[in-house]
Amino acid sequence: MNDLTKPFKRLPVALIGTGSYVPERRLTNSDLEKMVDTSNEWIVERTGIEERRIAAPDEKTSDMATKAALRAIEAAGIQPEEIDLLIVSTITPDTFTPSTACYVQANIGAKNAAAFDISAACCGFLFALKTAVQYIGCGQAKTALIISSEKLSHIVNWEDRTTCVLFGDGAGAAVLRTGSGKENDSAVLASDIGSDGTLTDILKVPGGGTAIPTTEDNINEKLYTLAMRGNEVFRHAVQHMKDSALSLIERTGIKPEDIALVVPHQANLRIINAVTSRIGIPPERVFVNLQKYGNTSGAACAIALDEAVRAGRAKKGDIVLMVAFGAGLTWSSAAIRL
Ligand code: ACO
């Protein structure tokens, strides 16, 4: 899906603050060795993951989202009342309804915002970004808070070694606002989202919705947990992340050497290396934190962006390329001048 061309003059959109939160509890690969038939060597060699964070039993998706949001609001230097659009992307909402965004709205006092959730799995943060950019670009919103928060530990089958070693919990957020349009000021330069609904079966939580309602049998069969054909997902991830990033680079006229940092979805180091080498970015310009957090779905890109900014790996004026892939299938990318 490309940006609209010229039905009206689009307003520029700036990214003015980021924030993130991860739960305290660490679950290491050696902890997992005691739970399923796996090894630290296998997990590190196949994924790059060393540990992941696990939310407390009473810690909700909205609690993590709220903490990340407050940090982003503080970094942006705004008041919660200034937010007029609040989007949460999650596949692990507090409740089916109301939306997790509404809980966060109440928690942070963003009383002037329209709040809603979106679902795009690991691409959720970049789908939220694209959505907010459209609202602000059309003049329908001025200040948007976008959050991705996931309690994946809640939907992981802890007896399935092929998935339980991959995922973790956490949240990331960003504040977007109508930009100045000046050449060196912050701007979302372009964004791309896409999906292929013919491949829903290779990565899904089959039960708990209307397709396979919650019954005692379905719970016993763990149909409310993530099921994935990892090999197939891997292949599609590399292809679509590469294609999405390259189409964005071509559309914006940015050259790979103009990109200060790539902040990719943090699912698997081999996927990240395959994608970034294909788009011509050396490893020192790629941000990786999956060794600490595993795959936190849509939150992964958002947490990585916040950590990159706070660590000084991405500075004001730098062009950052974000690229993600997830269930749906979905893919997405964004080029942002900080
Ligand atoms: N420990 C030890 N052995 C394991 C484990 C484990 N944790 N998991 C699988 N194995 C075994 C398999 O059983 C298999 O054994 P076999 O050869 O005897 O049958 C062997 O290891 C190889 O398994 P593969 O699945 O072929 O391993 P692969 O190299 O593909 O790695 C992985 C698996 C890590 C899941 C990889 O395919 C992957 O990262 N896929 C992409 C996942 C992803 O990116 N998801 C993103 C979206 S997530 C979202 O949207 C919420």
Side-chain angles (χ1 to χ4, degrees):
M1 192 190 297
N2 291 333
D3 292 315
L4 296 170
T5 42
K6 267 193 186 154
F8 48 80
K9 189 173 175 335
R10 298 181 62 79
L11 298 168
V13 181
L15 187 148
I16 62 168
T18 61
S20 62
Y21 166 81
V22 289
E24 264 174 46
R25 187 180 155 215
R26 291 179 154 84
L27 185 71
T28 64
N29 290 350
S30 71
D31 294 329
L32 281 164
E33 284 175 351
K34 297 175 195 117
M35 296 162 62
V36 287
D37 179 16
T38 191
S39 67
N40 177 53
E41 291 69 31
W42 191 96
I43 302 170
V44 171
E45 191 190 309
R46 298 294 179 121
T47 71
I49 300 166
E50 292 165 19
E51 59 182 37
R52 66 289 293 144
R53 298 298 180 95
I54 304 295
D58 62 350
E59 195 169 24
K60 302 183 291 296
T61 295
S62 64
D63 297 328
M64 295 189 285
T66 298
K67 287 181 176 149
L70 289 173
R71 288 173 187 167
I73 288 168
E74 189 186 5
I78 61 158
Q79 296 303 314
E81 295 82 4
E82 295 174 58
I83 296 163
D84 49 12
L85 178 67
L86 195 169
I87 306 174
V88 171
S89 94
T90 187
I91 56 168
T92 50
D94 285 22
T95 50
F96 278 143
T97 193
S99 67
T100 300
C102 283
Y103 296 114
V104 176
Q105 175 182 29
N107 290 346
I108 66 173
K111 60 183 183 189
N112 297 314
F116 58 88
D117 286 0
I118 62 166
S119 173
C122 301
C123 285
F125 184 69
L126 294 182
F127 271 57
L129 180 124
K130 177 94 178 174
T131 307
V133 164
Q134 304 312 311
Y135 273 87
I136 297 172
C138 298
Q140 297 295 303
K142 278 190 179 141
T143 306
L145 172 63
I146 57 168
I147 308 165
S148 183
S149 183
E150 297 291 7
K151 188 170 179 175
L152 295 181
S153 58
H154 177 66
I155 57 164
V156 161
N157 178 353
W158 291 104
E159 291 167 5
D160 175 10
R161 69 174 183 172
T162 68
T163 52
C164 76
V165 301
L166 304 174
F167 300 105
D169 301 334
V175 179
L176 301 168
R177 181 169 255 188
T178 317
S180 70
K182 291 186 190 149
E183 201 174 325
N184 296 319
D185 283 358
S186 174
V188 178
L189 303 172
S191 54
D192 174 61
I193 60 174
S195 47
D196 180 354
T198 66
L199 292 168
T200 48
D201 280 345
I202 68 172
L203 174 53
K204 64 165 29 172
V205 177
T210 54
I212 303 179
T214 307
T215 62
E216 208 176 321
D217 284 349
N218 292 340
I219 290 172
N220 291 338
E221 285 176 42
K222 296 205 161 39
L223 293 179
Y224 59 90
T225 61
L226 267 167
M228 178 170 73
R229 302 209 291 266
N231 261 320
E232 287 177 59
V233 175
F234 191 105
R235 195 163 41 81
H236 288 292
V238 172
Q239 183 69 42
H240 286 298
M241 288 171 82
K242 180 202 73 158
D243 289 350
S244 181
L246 285 179
S247 85
L248 207 72
I249 287 171
E250 197 182 303
R251 213 147 38 86
T252 51
I254 297 169
K255 297 182 204 70
E257 55 269 32
D258 299 332
I259 297 166
L261 194 68
V262 176
V263 179
H265 175 44
Q266 307 285 318
N268 186 314
L269 191 55
R270 290 185 293 139
I271 294 177
I272 292 176
N273 290 340
V275 171
T276 50
S277 66
R278 282 165 173 77
I279 58 175
I281 307 281
E284 60 273 18
R285 283 195 279 134
V286 180
F287 191 81
V288 176
N289 65 2
L290 58 74
Q291 69 281 5
K292 297 190 290 182
Y293 307 133
N295 180 352
T296 55
S297 187
C301 262
I303 296 169
L305 178 66
D306 181 51
E307 287 202 344
V309 168
R310 285 174 196 263
R313 289 280 307 274
K315 302 182 200 67
K316 197 166 164 37
D318 280 352
I319 294 176
V320 169
L321 175 72
M322 301 183 75
V323 58
F325 177 83
L329 299 180
T330 51
W331 55 88
S332 53
S333 56
I336 305 169
R337 187 169 56 234
L338 296 179

